[in-house]
Amino acid sequence: MKQFDKILKFELKNYFTNKVFVGITVFLMAIIMIVMCFPRFSAIFVTEDDGGVVESRPTMIVTGENADFVKQMFEQAFTGYQVVCSTESQEQIKQKIMEGQVECAFVLDSLTSYNYLVNNLSMYDTNTAIANEVLQNAYRLYAMVYFGLTEEQASQILTEQISSQTINLGKDQVQNFFYTYIMIFALYMVILLYGQMVASNVATEKSSRAMELLVTSAKPLSMMFGKILASCIAGFIQLVAIFGSALLFFNLNKTYWADNMIINSIFNMPFDLFLYMLLFFVLGFLIYACLFGAVGSMASKLEDINTTAMPIQMLFIAGFLVVMTSMAGGEVDTLLMKVCSFIPFTSPMAMFTRIAMSTVPAIEIIISIVILMVSVVGFGILSAKIYRVGVLLYGTPPKFSAIIKAIKKS
Amino acid sequence: MIIELKNIDKSFGEKEVLKGVSFTAKGGRAFGLLGRNGAGKTTIIRILMNVFPSNGGQVLIDGNLIDYNTVSFGYLPEERGLYPKKKIFDQLLYFAELKGMDKKDAIKSIEYWLERLEMQEYRNKRLDTLSKGNQQKIQLITAIAHNPDIVILDEPFSGLDPVNAMLLKDVVKEQIRNGKIVLFSSHQMSYIEEFCDDIAIIHNGKVALTGDLIEIKRNYPRNKLVVRSKDNDKIKALYNATDISELDILITLQNAEEKASVIKDLAEKFDIDEIKVFEPSLNDIFVEYAGDKE
């Protein structure tokens, strides 16, 4: 236990004195700070703009039949434009658009037919859709008045709103989508990054032959779990630093984010979901870290890890893709997801996603967690055995069957 | 303290690496473990240090089964290696603490050894900035800083310049004087001859020869004569002798009793410059027991 303690402290110190590790953490915290403070900064600039600049909106020309009649409606609909009426010919308007004096123009033939003139039609240009709606309303208004209604009656009919309320009995996928997405992504990044770090730490000890001395100084079990736990703690502290600073700067700028649904939904995660996230995070991390530790012990050189770690990475990425596809499709209770939420290598992502975005019976959650916990212990023991055999093997990485044989023998 | 290996067997898969290895090493005496590459020396050391268990046999300390919680080992592995990117003092402290020292004692001991091996100026440097010889001195500190009962040194002199070799010799002699069991594994026979009181030659996983080095030499059959003469060729033809250097030839007799008559014979018949009974070096003994003659 004393040895384990020493190894854990030594490995942790390695992380916290590693300039790259500290640098990346601080960098990410700074980025988060800037992003979270962005609305506050932009608010400052916006107020300054209003005082100084007179008119910076692009110009939109409305011309042709009924142009004067619809101008006011266009002004209300296109707040981003300075809408002007014009009596110039179509050619002159085209010239102005080409020269950049005017951004676009609506040349109306009637209330139900027009030409839209624009230089370089943007992919996201919705002007025609808006114009269609405006003109349709104008036409209806015109028609209703024509058939005997007063203008007020007609306006009231056209602007009548439907009132509705959604009563959600389960989970709100829209609201939960974002933090589930972030959590899955964080899990993905951390497991791959730190898993790789565990593997390369072990392989470095082997290739630098520090292992020769280590195996005679400490028990392999302490060595491996010291490393794994240290990377788990380091990863966790890094995440706490990053997400903690996000939370801190969000709260400092809360009023500026009031309109942003996505950001608000992320920071208003229910507490029980947060606990599930922690649990699946730690268990998921541990099971993969064990495997990466074992893989590292099989490598003689650092370069070997790339090939030996491939199957684990594939497994993990496959799980990640299944979960991401299901999330994007909005259907998280498919048979595949249900199966994945009980397989220990995919359950941290799959089960968490299902809990967050659907309603999962408690028994399923318990079974999934128990399977995962048992697997962590099982793979921990197996990895420790592989590690014990692996650390003394040099040369080409042994075949899987040879490892199993060696473990049985030991 | 006496450490005794009794009938140690070890196989890796189908391959039998050690077959009934037995020898005894005593405190206050240096023990040389000799053998060709792949003879099984490192496996013996690893079993001795409990890195992995043997398939059969026992390791005894003063007649009782070894208890690894009470006996401490210091090890200088043949494949040298520590953490290349870490500060020297930090890793020395780490290894000393892993060996069970508390921090205060560990710092004191490491300071002493850095001073003793003239390495104080490097204490805060990274290991990979040091020369090979200096790295080796740092590695030596990891083997002895925790004041172990048994010191195992695998090829301790390789890569050291004569001054550093001298420094290391002093340290090793001091360890022996302090009553520790010092186990040497080396291919450099001159060092083994200089330090070791007892040896074991391992060949193909078995002990080919073990015992007190002086006794071994004394018991070596004294049936060989080294002769230097202008008539070397004639003598070679007559006595079926072999060249052992440009000037000397070696005559091997059927038995040692013939020596006197053969010497007399040679002196009468040929112009002899020098004639003496062959004294085997450890090298000769090693080649004889660990060579590929069978």
Side-chain angles (χ1 to χ4, degrees):
Chain A
M1 205 56 212
K2 202 179 158 199
Q3 264 184 350
F4 177 78
D5 202 42
K6 295 276 173 244
I7 293 168
L8 182 65
K9 274 189 192 148
F10 182 76
E11 296 290 339
L12 269 180
K13 198 181 161 197
N14 285 348
Y15 279 106
F16 296 124
T17 53
N18 184 330
K19 285 179 191 123
V20 178
F21 178 85
V22 176
I24 287 178
T25 312
V26 171
F27 176 74
L28 286 175
M29 282 166 75
I31 294 278
I32 294 270
M33 185 191 82
I34 292 169
V35 169
M36 282 298 151
C37 293
F38 188 74
R40 183 187 284 263
F41 295 141
S42 61
I44 295 169
F45 287 115
V46 167
T47 44
E48 273 176 6
D49 273 3
D50 282 352
V53 184
V54 182
E55 184 64 83
S56 61
R57 291 180 299 172
T59 308
M60 172 190 280
I61 288 179
V62 185
T63 181
E65 271 318 290
N66 300 314
D68 296 328
F69 174 63
V70 297
K71 186 197 169 208
Q72 201 194 345
M73 290 171 143
F74 267 62
E75 273 176 341
Q76 281 167 7
F78 295 103
T79 48
Y81 288 93
Q82 188 191 357
V83 181
V84 290
C85 282
S86 166
T87 52
E88 289 162 306
S89 73
Q90 197 158 322
E91 286 312 309
Q92 282 171 316
I93 292 171
K94 276 184 187 168
Q95 189 64 34
K96 277 190 171 173
I97 290 174
M98 302 275 272
E99 284 167 3
Q101 294 175 30
V102 173
E103 192 172 288
C104 57
F106 285 91
V107 182
L108 306 175
D109 299 329
S110 68
L111 281 180
T112 53
S113 157
Y114 65 84
N115 286 331
Y116 177 55
L117 307 181
V118 65
N119 192 17
N120 298 330
L121 184 65
S122 148
M123 238 163 75
Y124 305 105
D125 193 329
T126 53
N127 287 353
T128 52
I130 297 170
N132 288 352
E133 205 172 319
V134 171
L135 290 173
Q136 205 161 36
N137 272 339
Y139 179 71
R140 282 174 186 157
L141 189 68
Y142 174 79
M144 284 175 185
V145 172
Y146 180 80
F147 284 112
L149 289 178
T150 66
E151 202 167 314
E152 286 74 37
Q153 282 171 326
S155 295
Q156 204 184 342
I157 291 168
L158 285 173
T159 53
E160 187 61 56
Q161 295 287 327
I162 309 294
S163 98
S164 76
Q165 201 181 352
T166 308
I167 299 164
N168 190 358
L169 301 178
K171 300 284 167 64
D172 182 355
Q173 288 199 350
V174 179
Q175 203 198 356
N176 294 7
F177 182 83
F178 295 102
Y179 52 71
T180 310
Y181 189 87
I182 289 175
M183 185 268 172
I184 299 294
F185 216 79
L187 189 64
Y188 175 79
M189 296 290 289
V190 168
I191 284 183
L192 281 191
L193 275 176
Y194 281 85
Q196 196 80 15
M197 261 194 247
V198 169
S200 56
N201 271 348
V202 177
T204 311
E205 277 176 358
K206 264 186 90 178
S207 67
S208 73
R209 307 278 166 156
M211 195 58 91
E212 295 275 326
L213 198 59
L214 276 172
V215 288
T216 62
S217 310
K219 296 208 162 54
L221 215 65
S222 313
M223 267 152 64
M224 192 174 104
F225 286 109
K227 263 191 208 336
I228 288 173
L229 214 63
S231 74
C232 188
I233 293 172
F236 202 72
I237 289 176
Q238 193 173 37
L239 284 183
V240 167
I242 291 166
F243 286 110
S245 62
L247 189 66
L248 174 72
F249 288 111
F250 170 73
N251 278 322
L252 288 179
N253 300 292
K254 210 168 186 172
T255 47
Y256 295 92
W257 286 107
D259 314 334
N260 195 317
M261 250 201 42
I262 299 175
I263 297 286
N264 274 302
S265 83
I266 292 170
F267 288 102
N268 292 328
M269 185 195 278
F271 189 66
D272 61 333
L273 207 57
F274 178 72
L275 289 184
Y276 276 125
M277 180 170 135
L278 279 187
L279 181 68
F280 281 113
F281 201 95
V282 170
L283 291 176
F285 185 91
L286 284 178
I287 198 164
Y288 275 98
C290 286
L291 291 183
F292 273 109
V295 159
S297 75
M298 304 310 304
S300 304
K301 298 187 295 285
L302 215 48
E303 304 90 272
D304 293 345
I305 290 178
N306 294 335
T307 42
T308 40
M310 187 94 84
I312 300 175
Q313 286 169 344
M314 288 301 213
L315 184 70
F316 186 62
I317 290 170
F320 176 73
L321 286 179
V322 167
V323 172
M324 278 291 167
T325 324
S326 312
M327 271 180 77
E331 189 53 66
V332 294
D333 279 327
T334 56
L335 183 65
L336 187 60
M337 277 293 277
K338 279 187 181 165
V339 172
C340 282
S341 59
F342 294 105
I343 299 172
F345 298 109
T346 47
S347 64
M349 288 186 289
M351 196 39 122
F352 176 76
T353 306
R354 285 184 62 207
I355 293 172
M357 295 183 64
S358 159
T359 307
V360 187
I363 185 76
E364 284 190 26
I365 300 178
I366 293 169
I367 291 173
S368 171
I369 291 174
V370 168
I371 291 177
L372 188 56
M373 279 177 167
V374 171
S375 307
V376 167
V377 175
F379 278 94
I381 293 169
L382 180 73
S383 300
K385 284 189 171 175
I386 294 177
Y387 187 91
R388 203 184 151 91
V389 174
V391 288
L392 293 170
L393 291 177
Y394 286 96
T396 45
K399 287 201 185 82
F400 189 70
S401 55
I403 301 166
I404 299 297
K405 241 188 211 169
I407 291 168
K408 274 186 190 161
K409 282 256 162 74
S410 70
Chain B
M1 184 182 264
I2 295 175
I3 189 160
E4 195 179 353
L5 270 74
K6 262 188 162 173
N7 287 318
I8 300 288
D9 295 315
K10 179 75 189 173
S11 339
F12 294 114
E14 302 296 304
K15 195 167 182 257
E16 263 190 291
V17 181
L18 299 180
K19 298 165 229 174
V21 168
S22 305
F23 60 78
T24 306
K26 300 180 188 79
R29 285 167 76 89
F31 188 93
L33 199 57
L34 313 181
R36 297 176 60 183
N37 302 322
K41 299 187 296 283
T42 307
T43 308
I44 292 175
I45 290 171
R46 284 181 176 164
I47 288 172
L48 192 59
M49 297 185 72
N50 200 27
V51 174
F52 43 64
S54 60
N55 299 127
Q58 295 173 318
V59 179
L60 306 174
I61 291 274
D62 296 331
N64 304 314
L65 267 183
I66 189 165
D67 174 6
Y68 286 97
N69 295 318
T70 57
V71 180
S72 62
F73 287 89
Y75 181 40
L76 178 75
E78 183 182 8
E79 297 270 9
R80 312 275 194 261
L82 293 169
Y83 295 100
K85 306 280 178 209
K86 289 194 178 34
K87 278 187 193 165
I88 283 163
F89 192 84
D90 290 352
Q91 43 183 324
L92 286 176
L93 184 62
Y94 176 52
F95 279 108
E97 286 190 304
L98 274 186
K99 297 281 190 186
M101 286 188 105
D102 66 51
K103 197 168 177 176
K104 227 171 97 190
D105 292 343
I107 291 173
K108 213 168 125 190
S109 171
I110 291 164
E111 296 286 5
Y112 166 78
W113 282 109
L114 284 173
E115 189 77 48
R116 173 86 193 269
L117 297 177
E118 299 160 10
M119 296 299 288
Q120 260 305 349
E121 58 181 304
Y122 302 108
R123 69 195 297 275
N124 288 323
K125 291 238 163 69
R126 274 174 25 176
L127 186 76
D128 58 0
T129 60
L130 267 58
S131 69
K132 195 183 164 209
N134 281 340
Q135 287 191 23
Q136 186 148 332
K137 286 206 251 175
I138 297 299
Q139 185 106 37
L140 179 71
I141 298 178
T142 63
I144 52 179
H146 58 292
N147 198 19
D149 305 314
I150 299 166
V151 184
I152 300 175
L153 306 171
D154 205 341
E155 291 293 354
F157 293 99
S158 74
L160 289 184
D161 66 47
V163 178
N164 278 329
M166 200 67 165
L167 199 61
L168 177 59
K169 277 185 199 173
D170 287 344
V171 171
V172 173
K173 279 178 183 157
E174 182 187 285
Q175 298 286 319
I176 298 169
R177 268 203 308 279
N178 290 345
K180 295 184 178 174
I181 298 175
V182 178
L183 216 78
F184 264 103
S185 171
S186 179
H187 295 126
Q188 285 169 288
M189 297 301 158
S190 56
Y191 286 117
I192 298 276
E193 236 170 338
E194 184 177 343
F195 281 106
C196 295
D197 308 293
D198 305 299
I199 60 158
I201 295 176
I202 311 296
H203 186 52
N204 289 337
K206 288 182 188 156
V207 177
L209 179 71
T210 184
D212 184 308
L213 184 56
I214 297 170
E215 287 290 315
I216 287 173
K217 281 189 176 176
R218 199 172 287 151
N219 292 337
Y220 196 82
R222 306 181 71 79
N223 61 341
K224 289 177 181 164
L225 295 173
V226 180
V227 180
R228 182 177 292 184
S229 160
K230 273 190 277 184
D231 304 321
N232 273 358
D233 290 338
K234 288 180 196 164
I235 300 171
K236 267 160 74 181
L238 200 67
Y239 288 94
N240 198 17
T242 51
D243 287 315
I244 53 168
S245 71
E246 264 180 45
L247 299 173
D248 299 329
I249 55 170
L250 184 71
I251 301 171
T252 308
L253 305 172
Q254 291 290 334
N255 56 59
E257 282 79 52
E258 295 173 25
K259 258 185 320 203
S261 62
V262 172
I263 291 170
K264 196 176 156 213
D265 231 29
L266 285 168
E268 282 169 3
K269 288 183 188 158
F270 304 103
D271 181 3
I272 301 289
D273 298 334
E274 192 182 320
I275 192 163
K276 64 180 179 189
V277 176
F278 176 71
E279 287 278 352
S281 66
L282 183 56
N283 202 52
D284 298 315
I285 297 171
F286 181 79
V287 170
E288 183 168 337
Y289 282 90
D292 275 330
K293 56 183 182 180
E294 66 247 75

